[in-house]
Amino acid sequence: MTVSSAPGKVYLFGEHAVVYGEPAVPCAIERRATVSVDRRDDDHVRVVAEDLSLNGFAVEYSGSTDEHPDVDVPTSLVEAAMGYIDAAVEQARDAADEPDAGFDITVESDIPLGAGLGSSAAVVVAGIDAATRELGVELTPQEIADRAYRAEHEVQDGQASRADTFASALGGAVRVEGDDCRTIDAPALPFVIGFDGGSGDTGELVAGVRELRETYDFAAQTVETIGDVVREGESILAEADPDGTPDEELLEELGGLMDFNHGLLEALGVSSRSLDNLVWAARSGDAYGAKLTGAGGGGCIVALDPTPETETALQYTPGCEDVFRAELATTGVQSEDDAELGAEREERER
Ligand SMILES: Nc1ncnc2c1ncn2[C@@H]1O[C@H](COP(=O)(O)OP(=O)(O)OP(=O)(O)O)[C@@H](O)[C@H]1O
Ligand SMILES: C[C@@](O)(CCO)CC(=O)[O-]
Ligand SMILES: [Mg+2]
């Protein structure tokens, strides 16, 4: 068995605008998806997504990728759930030049689904790494990022940037502008995440922004303005000491830009009443700044606050389902084979 994990992410700045070539700065966070892969003798793919619940369904499905899986839930739900795994399997088969390889796959994840923390990218990145290694092929994190991007691009109907998948594969803070992806130095920022328990459909939200942008010049300009906010944020980060604790001035500057970024996303129609509520709760809890993260529509906000005040404010906000601090994940995709061996050994010894 081959096991890999990959982190989710928050956007410090730039989601949505990054789809149209503006720069963005996502940061990988210590919430991971873990994918275990066993090669099969036939060409079937069986997927167990243990903690996948969509609208209250726990889904376990099996079948070859081109047949309908045999489960007692609406096909559309299963197809939505299968899409990213299928795409990862196809990328692994292609990378190993083994078009008929079959797998048993288990997905476990502590990243809430569709909530702006990049669960899809983490599953695809970890899935491609585990499945290719199971077929005896070692890809570099950059190659995995590239294949994971192609997988997300396909599932999201051609509407995806390289940001989520690159951050998940490489880890740390990254900067993405079109095809130009690089890791950047950043201090350990005090991220606080608030989760409203909801989710948004990335494909639909991206399509909504695309339509606004094509209809109104001012919407196109709003997208460009997000790019300006990101460029300003980057220049501030570039001057910060990556090894030091972020000082008040830095947090104030970055927080102010996060607030501005959230306002522009709101204007583009991708926030929601509950996300706005959490953003305002964080700000009144003394956060330096707060914004939605990821595609929006529902899900998570990210705030900057080294003190416990924002966490407390969010905890007492109606509609806030979960609050947690998120450390920057300095490691991107990684092998968990040793952890798996350790668990098997423990099991045998019991
Ligand atoms: N644990 C999991 N098991 C199986 N599939 C998962 C799992 N986590 C995520 N996925 C897949 O990813 C989809 C959610 O991806 P989507 O892009 O909509 O949201 P996200 O990546 O969490 O948020 P964002 O893209 O805004 O950061 C799920 O519908 C499912 O197909
Ligand atoms: C909304 C978006 O910018 C981020 C989703 O996490 C889409 C993408 O970059 O593919
Ligand atoms: Mg996603």
Side-chain angles (χ1 to χ4, degrees):
M1 180 184 289
T2 313
V3 188
S4 299
S5 76
K9 56 98 234 274
V10 293
Y11 274 87
L12 185 56
F13 310 115
E15 55 274 86
H16 283 289
V18 69
V19 176
Y20 311 99
E22 299 295 340
V25 180
C27 300
I29 55 164
E30 269 313 336
R31 285 243 157 176
R32 305 182 79 91
T34 303
V35 180
S36 312
V37 177
D38 259 322
R39 178 149 198 185
R40 291 170 61 106
D41 297 336
D42 58 19
D43 63 354
H44 283 214
V45 176
R46 178 174 192 277
V47 183
V48 178
E50 287 184 344
D51 46 1
L52 177 68
S53 61
L54 292 166
N55 298 344
F57 283 104
V59 186
E60 179 177 330
Y61 42 83
S62 60
S64 91
T65 43
D66 27 7
E67 283 165 26
H68 282 310
D70 170 27
V71 282
D72 187 22
V73 293
T75 317
S76 60
L77 273 185
V78 180
E79 276 172 359
M82 282 281 275
Y84 289 99
I85 306 276
D86 276 1
V89 164
E90 282 310 322
Q91 286 298 329
R93 286 173 168 163
D94 183 63
D97 203 13
E98 295 218 36
D100 299 322
F103 304 100
D104 286 330
I105 300 175
T106 304
V107 184
E108 290 161 284
S109 167
D110 56 12
I111 310 166
L113 257 73
L117 300 185
S119 70
S120 61
V123 166
V124 169
V125 165
I128 292 175
D129 188 57
T132 47
R133 289 193 304 109
E134 179 74 4
L135 297 177
V137 175
E138 288 276 343
L139 300 178
T140 63
Q142 280 81 0
E143 287 168 329
I144 289 168
D146 184 54
R147 287 191 173 272
Y149 158 68
R150 287 192 251 158
E152 280 226 317
H153 194 261
E154 190 183 306
V155 182
Q156 287 166 210
D157 290 331
Q159 314 197 83
S161 73
R162 293 180 178 273
D164 291 22
T165 40
F166 188 78
S168 183
L170 275 291
V174 309
R175 177 198 196 268
V176 172
E177 182 172 8
D179 291 339
D180 178 30
C181 303
R182 49 187 80 181
T183 54
I184 57 173
D185 283 335
L189 295 170
F191 292 128
V192 179
I193 314 277
F195 177 36
D196 70 5
S199 62
D201 182 310
T202 303
E204 263 171 38
L205 290 152
V206 171
V209 173
R210 180 178 298 271
E211 201 180 319
L212 270 182
R213 188 175 162 269
E214 282 165 4
T215 311
Y216 301 116
D217 281 350
F218 52 79
Q221 284 155 15
T222 305
V223 168
E224 284 168 29
T225 306
I226 292 180
D228 292 337
V229 172
V230 179
R231 280 179 280 270
E232 183 67 27
E234 275 182 276
S235 63
I236 293 169
L237 276 180
E239 280 162 29
D241 171 8
D243 303 317
T245 307
D247 61 25
E248 185 148 357
E249 190 188 336
L250 174 67
L251 293 176
E252 246 160 36
E253 284 178 325
L254 292 177
L257 293 174
M258 287 168 76
D259 287 340
F260 209 113
N261 195 163
H262 180 77
L264 297 169
L265 288 166
E266 230 259 278
L268 291 173
V270 297
S271 191
S272 68
R273 183 184 286 242
S274 67
L275 289 174
D276 286 345
N277 258 346
L278 298 190
V279 160
W280 279 105
R283 288 174 186 161
S284 26
D286 241 13
Y288 285 97
K291 61 183 278 297
L292 69 83
T293 172
C300 293
I301 63 129
V302 55
L304 284 186
D305 187 359
T307 76
E309 283 186 48
T310 298
E311 278 170 278
T312 309
L314 285 169
Q315 264 152 14
Y316 288 100
T317 303
C320 183
E321 189 121 316
D322 197 10
V323 183
F324 50 94
R325 298 201 80 89
E327 301 275 322
L328 193 68
T330 48
T331 315
V333 62
Q334 69 179 4
S335 159
E336 301 285 354
D337 295 349
D338 295 346
E340 181 65 21
L341 284 178
E344 277 172 19
R345 203 172 302 130
E346 241 172 60
E347 185 72 19
R348 268 199 310 275
E349 282 165 8
R350 235 187 268 138

